[in-house]
Amino acid sequence: MAPRAMSIGSMVSFAVDRSARTGGEPGGGERLGRREAFARGLLEYVLKNAKGRSAFTRLIAGLDDDPQEFRTAPRTGPVPFDLVSPLSDGAQIAITVRVEGTIDDALLTQLLAELPASSCSRLVVLTPRSGRVRTQIADERLVLLSWNKLARRLTAKDPKRAEFWRLLGEFGEDAGPLAVRSPASPRILLDEAVTQEMRAHLETFRLVSQELIGRDARFSTSRRGGGAVLQVGANGSQLGVEFGPVEDGTPVWLTGSRPVRSFALGIGALVTDEERDLAQRRLRGIAAGSSWRTDPAYEPTLGAFIGTPATPALEDARALLWEVFDPRRLEAAGFPTVPRRQPELGDDRLSVRVSYPPDPAAGTFLVSIGGSSTWKTLLPRVTREYDGKTYIVQALKSDTAQDLVTKVHEALVSLATKP
């Protein structure tokens, strides 16, 4: 039992103890990972309080019943709930939590089949906003909502336990391994100066790619390294070129088995013909070496910095956009990147191609920036390739980085599921 006097410290301690007992990792019948086991423990703690339980039942489940204490559901079955509480007349409230991954219609159908058939039964599914469940199932027993909405609703209507609901909401939204951590506001993508700077450094990157590798770069479809990687020619044994984090004034790197072998090229935005000539001379000097890509001891000898160094604002914009292009996030939203058919970086567009496995007839989709000869912003665009229908994702003043990524995923869903 939770202590009579609730406290944040005892709430966290209770959740730690509960998650430790489950083992915290999937396997042996245990579905939850560490983060979800901890979230379940936080929720269970608040629901052990009779008034907190009553507020949840009325405001979230939409029932006037007085539920018994929630208990952890047994996890030996194929479709376990996380917390359950019996109601009168054989009905039940069952709770399923997610802070990572998604829930599809097949799993929802299984969960609803395990729920008592009474119209007073409820299946409450909690997910972060970024993993919002989209379903065609119409069942009055099903309640879908985000951790954020749960917290806002109960914080307003159950003020005596507001701090506990707020902590629960923040953890549920932010604990997932794919939660966006970028501190930059999406409004930076509207800054024309940052847009022009990004275009200039991408143009430098194209020059480097052509001179050293002989072709333009594209986003890697590999999930092994984590995150978005815009590169050409790089692998475990050969040096290639990558457009990555800004260090030493440039986002352009020679990179192989990074971070073991990575070298900033010392080339920034090339404004004048003289700067471009100097950069080409440096690159052709590197390319003239017969074993520069394969020699594990190779290290370039570079002179003075060429061109205009990248600013911190460029790195803020790049880091934010790489969250949008992250193949793990796109796949978690239901849109895996298409192997071997990724578009190359062009002079007017940077993009990644994704598919929609639930409906192969929907074709493929591009998530991109640019799209015209004169870029005014870095706002992401989502395009359905078979008919060219495009949504431009807007950056509102109050938006967070997570909001931007979520909007991109929602635009993809809209294009994949609507005419």
Side-chain angles (χ1 to χ4, degrees):
M1 290 289 293
R4 182 178 297 273
M6 299 173 70
S7 73
I8 293 296
S10 61
M11 181 183 185
V12 172
S13 179
F14 180 88
V16 168
D17 180 61
R18 277 290 197 261
S19 59
R21 290 183 193 179
T22 67
E25 294 290 352
E30 172 57 63
R31 178 184 64 74
L32 292 188
R34 285 192 182 93
R35 296 175 178 88
E36 284 169 342
F38 192 80
R40 181 191 62 189
L42 294 174
L43 179 58
E44 185 182 359
Y45 176 90
V46 188
L47 294 179
K48 282 182 176 294
N49 178 275
K51 291 184 178 179
R53 188 163 62 246
S54 177
F56 181 91
T57 302
R58 288 184 294 103
L59 298 168
I60 303 302
L63 299 171
D64 292 328
D65 209 322
D66 186 18
Q68 300 177 33
E69 188 170 298
F70 280 83
R71 59 180 174 82
T72 303
R75 298 197 148 40
T76 54
V79 286
F81 303 118
D82 294 314
L83 295 169
V84 294
S85 175
L87 300 170
S88 58
D89 300 325
Q92 183 185 70
I93 298 178
I95 302 173
T96 293
V97 304
R98 286 287 192 278
V99 297
E100 54 187 282
T102 58
I103 294 182
D104 58 21
D105 277 2
L107 180 54
L108 285 177
T109 299
Q110 288 181 298
L111 291 168
L112 287 166
E114 293 290 318
L115 197 66
S118 169
S119 62
C120 291
S121 290
R122 292 290 185 272
L123 169 61
V124 180
V125 178
L126 295 167
T127 63
R129 285 178 296 174
S130 58
R132 183 165 63 89
V133 178
R134 301 171 180 89
T135 180
Q136 301 299 315
I137 295 173
D139 191 316
E140 63 180 357
R141 300 173 301 159
L142 178 61
V143 179
L144 304 172
L145 77 165
S146 68
W147 292 101
N148 179 65
K149 184 175 288 186
L150 171 84
R152 284 194 288 110
R153 191 175 296 176
L154 289 169
T155 296
K157 299 295 185 179
D158 185 28
K160 289 189 176 180
R161 280 152 292 280
E163 61 181 324
F164 303 99
W165 295 121
R166 189 176 297 113
L167 172 62
L168 182 62
E170 289 177 357
F171 181 84
E173 290 291 344
D174 298 338
L178 296 182
V180 178
R181 310 297 183 187
S182 173
S185 166
R187 299 286 290 179
I188 196 173
L189 304 180
L190 293 169
D191 189 315
E192 192 166 346
V194 175
T195 300
Q196 294 308 314
E197 184 182 9
M198 175 67 78
R199 291 195 67 184
H201 283 277
L202 286 173
E203 185 57 36
T204 294
F205 180 54
R206 291 189 71 205
L207 173 68
V208 173
S209 300
Q210 288 290 344
E211 293 287 348
L212 295 184
I213 309 298
R215 63 184 188 273
D216 282 328
R218 62 185 64 184
F219 277 109
S220 171
T221 57
S222 171
R223 285 83 164 166
R224 289 177 299 173
V229 180
L230 180 62
Q231 63 87 28
V232 58
N235 57 47
S237 61
Q238 289 190 320
L239 282 176
V241 184
E242 178 183 344
F243 192 90
V246 174
E247 295 179 28
D248 299 330
T250 178
V252 183
W253 294 77
L254 285 182
T255 180
S257 50
R258 186 180 180 140
V260 177
R261 288 196 304 157
S262 57
F263 311 101
L265 274 174
I267 304 175
L270 304 173
V271 178
T272 66
D273 290 342
E274 181 183 3
E275 289 173 344
R276 188 177 180 86
D277 288 343
L278 287 171
Q280 284 181 314
R281 238 175 287 166
R282 174 174 296 179
L283 296 170
R284 289 169 184 175
I286 293 172
S290 59
S291 60
W292 71 272
R293 292 187 66 192
T294 56
D295 181 359
Y298 172 79
E299 185 169 342
T301 301
L302 304 175
F305 192 91
I306 301 172
T308 304
T311 67
L314 175 70
E315 173 55 18
D316 286 343
R318 186 210 64 84
L320 179 56
L321 288 169
W322 265 228
E323 303 278 13
V324 170
F325 291 121
D326 187 335
R328 301 168 307 166
R329 296 186 200 288
L330 291 165
E331 184 169 41
F335 293 86
T337 51
V338 178
R340 297 181 296 278
R341 289 185 53 217
Q342 286 303 309
E344 293 183 336
L345 167 65
D347 59 0
D348 68 345
R349 183 185 309 220
L350 171 62
S351 55
V352 62
R353 178 174 283 121
V354 299
S355 63
Y356 185 58
D359 183 9
T364 55
F365 306 83
L366 290 181
V367 179
S368 65
I369 56 173
S372 66
S373 59
T374 56
W375 297 12
K376 296 297 184 182
T377 75
L378 295 171
L379 292 175
R381 296 167 176 253
V382 180
T383 302
R384 185 166 60 194
E385 289 201 271
Y386 78 79
D387 63 358
K389 185 173 182 178
T390 298
Y391 292 157
I392 300 176
V393 177
Q394 298 302 317
L396 302 180
K397 189 173 183 180
S398 60
D399 279 352
T400 65
Q402 181 68 71
D403 292 331
L404 180 78
V405 173
T406 300
K407 284 181 176 182
V408 170
H409 296 168
E410 289 174 344
L412 282 167
V413 170
S414 181
L415 286 175
T417 57
K418 298 177 183 177

